[in-house]
Amino acid sequence: MASAKTKTLWFCTNCGNEYSKWMGRCPACGEWNTMAEREVVTGSSKATPLTSASGSARKPMRLKDVSTTVEDRVSLGSAEVDRLLGGGIVKGSLVLMGGEPGIGKSTLSLQLPLHCPALKTLYVTGEESVKQVKMRADRLGGSSENCLILSETDMSAILKEAEETAPDLMIVDSVQTMFCQHIDSTAGSVSQIKEVAAQLLRFAKSTGVPVILIGHITKEGTIAGPKILEHIVDVVLQFEGENRGAYRVLRSIKNRFGSTSELAVFEMTGSGLREVANPSEMLIPMHEAGLSGTAISAMLDGNRPFLFEVQALVSSAVYGTAQRSATGFDVRRLNMLLAVLERRAGFKLGQKDVFLNMAGGLRITDPACDLAVICAVLSSTFDYAIPSDVCFAGEVGLSGEIRPVSQAARRAVEAARLGFNRIFVSSYTHFDQKPEGIEVVKVADIPALVRALFK
C-alpha cells in the first residue's frame, strides 16, 4: 500500500473546480476571488469504486438478452410529484432536488412522508435539530407515525442506521452538510460532496431504497458543488419561483426514468405546499373585467399547457431616460419587442416608461408569450381593455412578423376548456384538426394584429 502524502490544492468555492495553484479568476466559471486553499491526502487506500456496488464482478451481456421490464416504482403520495418523476420514484434511484433558500425544498421533502404514511421513511437532517423538524411537521399536518428523524452529518453513522432500520424511502437534507471521515476536508467541499454522493448511490443501488438528496444552489442558480454530482444522480429536480410569490414550480432537469418535459406547480400556504392540479385557473385574471394593460397568454412549459395573465403599464417618462422593468420576463427581450413596435408598427415608445409583470410570480421563457406582451403594451398605450375571452399564442420576429409556435392545437384546446372564445395565432400556424369551441384568428404581422384586435 502506498504511503499517504499531503499536498495543497486550490478549489473554486463557486463551481468546485480544483487547481494546483492560486488564481485570481476561476478559468471555469469566470468568478473573481473564489479560490480557497485545502490540504488533501493522496496515496492512501481508495473507496470502493461505483462499479462494484453489487459486490460481484460483472460480465458483458448481449443487448438482445437484456430484460426490458418496467421499472419498479413507488408512489410518494403526491400526484404532481409522481407525474413529474414518470409515475412514481424508482426503487434504488438517487434523486437530487435543488433550489434557492426558503423556496420550499425542506418543506416538500418532509411533506412527502407525512402524507404517505404507508412508506417507512428515514429523514436525515444535517441543518436542523429534531425539535425543529418536529415543529415543522406539526405545522404541515399529516401522519408522522412511520417517519423516522435522524439528526446526523457523519455518513458512516447514517448508513449504519439506514441498514438497521431498512426504510422504504430515505431523505437527506442536505448533501452539503454531510461528510465522510476518511476524507480530509470540511463538509461541503468538492471531495466531500463527491464521496457522499457516491456512498449514497452505492447504498441505493445495493439495497433498492430510493434516496432523495436536497442540494444548495449558487448565486447563479446552479446546484452548488462539482458538476459530477448531477452526473452521478438519476434525477435532478429544480425548484423555481419568487420567494415573495405564492407559486413554486418544480421542474425536471434530468430524469433517467422519464421525461424532462414535465413540471409541477405548487402554492405555498401556511400549512405547506399545496398542489395546483390546474395552474391556468390560478393564473388567469383575478380582478374586475375592463382593465387595460392585460393580456392572456397560452403558454406551454414542457408538455403542460396553461394560461396566465401578462400585465403591462405604459406611462410618460418622468425623468429624462425612459425606464424598462420586467418581472418574470427577460428585460432584453422586452426591449427587443418595444423596438419592433416602434420600427415596424410606428408606435413611439422611446419616451415612455414600460413596466411588465408576469402574474403569479412565474419566470416565463416561452417565446409564445411575445404576442401577449405586445398586446398588453398596446392595450396600456391605447387605454383599451382587451376582451376577457381572448388569448394569444405567437412569437414576434424582428421584422414584425408573427411566427408560429409549437403545439398550437394543445394551447387552443386548453383555452377552449377554460371558456375562452378566441385565440390569436400566426397566419402560418397549421392545425391537423380545427379546435372545437374556440375561434382561431390568424394574423401575419403586428399591423394586422392591431387592425383585428383594436378596431
Side-chain angles (χ1 to χ4, degrees), residues 160-182:
K160 180 180 178 181
E161 189 66 31
E163 292 175 357
E164 293 178 356
T165 57
D168 300 320
L169 174 66
M170 182 174 171
I171 300 173
V172 179
D173 185 11
S174 65
V175 64
Q176 281 82 9
T177 61
M178 304 298 156
F179 72 94
C180 301
Q181 291 184 353
H182 63 275

Side-chain angles (χ1 to χ4, degrees), residues 2-311:
S3 60
K5 298 180 180 180
T6 302
K7 68 176 183 178
T8 301
L9 290 178
W10 296 84
F11 73 96
C12 176
T13 57
N14 181 61
C15 66
N17 282 275
E18 295 182 353
Y19 304 95
S20 58
K21 62 181 181 179
W22 181 87
M23 297 181 184
R25 184 180 184 183
C26 176
C29 65
E31 290 294 319
W32 291 90
N33 300 323
T34 57
M35 295 295 171
E37 186 179 9
R38 183 180 74 244
E39 290 187 352
V40 297
V41 179
T42 61
S44 58
S45 59
K46 297 183 179 180
T48 306
L50 293 178
T51 52
S52 62
S54 61
S56 60
R58 296 182 181 272
K59 295 183 178 181
M61 296 177 60
R62 294 183 183 273
L63 187 60
K64 66 176 184 180
D65 297 333
V66 177
S67 174
T68 57
T69 55
V70 180
E71 301 92 354
D72 192 6
R73 296 180 180 269
V74 178
S75 175
L76 295 177
S78 171
E80 290 294 299
V81 177
D82 287 346
R83 181 183 54 79
L84 184 66
L85 294 174
I89 191 169
V90 176
K91 289 186 176 181
S93 63
L94 187 61
V95 179
L96 176 63
M97 183 190 303
E100 295 182 357
I103 201 72
K105 304 183 299 296
S106 300
T107 299
L108 180 61
S109 61
L110 183 58
Q111 196 168 308
L112 290 175
L114 292 178
H115 291 80
C116 190
L119 290 180
K120 183 180 179 181
T121 305
L122 177 61
Y123 188 94
V124 182
T125 174
E127 300 179 343
E128 299 175 292
S129 65
V130 176
K131 291 184 178 180
Q132 287 177 303
V133 177
K134 171 62 175 175
M135 292 170 61
R136 182 149 43 89
D138 293 340
R139 177 174 58 86
L140 298 176
S143 174
S144 58
E145 187 173 338
N146 217 10
C147 182
L148 306 175
I149 305 297
L150 175 64
S151 181
E152 181 61 73
T153 56
D154 186 359
M155 281 304 302
S156 59
I158 292 171
L159 294 178
K160 180 180 178 181
E161 189 66 31
E163 292 175 357
E164 293 178 356
T165 57
D168 300 320
L169 174 66
M170 182 174 171
I171 300 173
V172 179
D173 185 11
S174 65
V175 64
Q176 281 82 9
T177 61
M178 304 298 156
F179 72 94
C180 301
Q181 291 184 353
H182 63 275
I183 301 294
D184 188 18
S185 60
T186 59
S189 63
V190 175
S191 53
Q192 285 284 6
I193 292 178
K194 289 164 62 177
E195 183 61 23
V196 167
Q199 289 198 16
L200 288 173
L201 181 66
R202 285 194 291 269
F203 169 78
K205 300 303 180 185
S206 60
T207 62
V209 177
V211 179
I212 298 178
L213 278 175
I214 308 300
H216 299 165
I217 66 170
T218 63
K219 60 183 180 181
E220 285 79 18
T222 59
I223 297 177
K227 199 66 177 178
I228 194 174
L229 175 62
E230 298 181 45
H231 291 286
I232 289 177
V233 301
D234 298 309
V235 181
V236 179
L237 303 179
Q238 184 82 12
F239 241 132
E240 301 174 358
E242 298 289 339
N243 290 338
R244 294 167 293 183
Y247 298 104
R248 307 284 191 270
V249 175
L250 185 62
R251 192 185 306 274
S252 175
I253 299 177
K254 171 187 175 181
N255 192 349
R256 288 176 177 162
F257 310 108
S259 172
T260 56
S261 299
E262 296 290 344
L263 59 87
V265 181
F266 297 88
E267 181 185 10
M268 179 63 77
T269 65
S271 57
L273 290 166
R274 185 184 69 84
E275 296 180 9
V276 181
N278 187 6
S280 300
E281 295 182 356
M282 306 298 296
L283 301 177
I284 55 179
M286 298 182 182
H287 52 70
E288 296 180 358
L291 294 180
S292 61
T294 61
I296 305 299
S297 174
M299 178 181 137
L300 191 72
D301 200 325
N303 290 326
R304 164 172 283 193
F306 59 89
L307 283 76
F308 70 98
E309 185 182 50
V310 177
Q311 301 173 341

